[in-house]
Amino acid sequence: MNETAPEAREPIARAGYEPVDPVAAASANADWWSEEAPGYLAEHGDFLGAADFRWCPEGLRESDAGLLGDLATLRGAEVLEIGAGAAQCSRWLRARHVRATASDVADGMAHASARLDAATGVPVPFVVADARDLPFPDRSFDVVFTAFGAIPFVPDADRVHAEAARVLRPGGRWVCSVTHPVRWAFPDDPTDAGLTLVRSYFDRAPYVERDAQGQPLYAEFHRTISDHVRELIAAGHMLVDLVEPEWQPGNTHVWGGWGPERGALLPGTLIMVAERQ
């Protein structure tokens, strides 16, 4: 891949919970994840591994949870990861002879994935694509999943669920992990100082970072648990499980507002397991 040095990002002039233009926010997030890929992986790469499959900052691994299904069955399936980042999860699957394809909206993550392919010797087919408009035919996959990809960073997550439904074969599995909605009511602090309620759980104003001109640089979108479930069901999926991972023993990695101190008391991640009706 040919890579060019990314342009310097505008500094954050202000941040807070407020309305944001949805098109501008989604575009800004795609740019942010592309430009931030090297820094993101420098900070969290050791925790994520080059070919490991963690569902969340709590540290839950697919090897322990088996949310995608039995590995023996998966080896005969077509699997798609969306919002894949550097495709660590897909690489874990490929190393176990599962036909996994990765996709992400960020070019920078595609470059990072290629570097991990070379470092591990486990290549992953990677497609740069918006999770709301996937370039795959209907009924192409048996399993679609995302570990914190796409859903928190778009204003219209219903389109992500709908695309997952479109590319899944009937009875196919859709598994997605997202920030636990309860987290939005607390400050982004992993210590006991982050245990004080500061916002209404029902306040759906997105978190937005803006430059000096007021343009969004980054945004995350809050949905309640019922919002998530309704969007998933409306897209044609049947919910079969909800998982709220507990903090895993031996995990000392602090990730933003996720950490062992608060993680022992509050859920930080929600995983939805569904099947295409």
Side-chain angles (χ1 to χ4, degrees), residues 87-129:
Q88 294 93 333
C89 298
S90 286
R91 196 167 293 105
W92 182 87
L93 290 167
R94 298 285 296 194
R96 285 152 183 80
H97 310 292
V98 176
R99 294 192 300 272
T101 299
S103 70
D104 197 283
V105 73
D107 284 326
M109 287 298 183
H111 296 315
S113 179
R115 288 191 289 270
L116 292 181
D117 285 353
T120 61
V122 183
V124 178
F126 198 108
V127 177
V128 177

Side-chain angles (χ1 to χ4, degrees), residues 124-148:
V124 178
F126 198 108
V127 177
V128 177
D130 190 322
R132 300 169 297 173
D133 187 18
L134 295 170
F136 303 107
D138 296 356
R139 303 187 177 193
S140 299
F141 297 96
D142 303 288
V143 176
V144 180
F145 75 94
T146 184
F148 270 85

Side-chain angles (χ1 to χ4, degrees), residues 145-170:
F145 75 94
T146 184
F148 270 85
I151 291 173
F153 308 107
V154 297
D156 44 1
D158 56 317
R159 290 178 57 191
V160 179
H161 294 298
E163 278 295 270
R166 181 184 66 78
V167 302
L168 272 173
R169 295 173 180 132

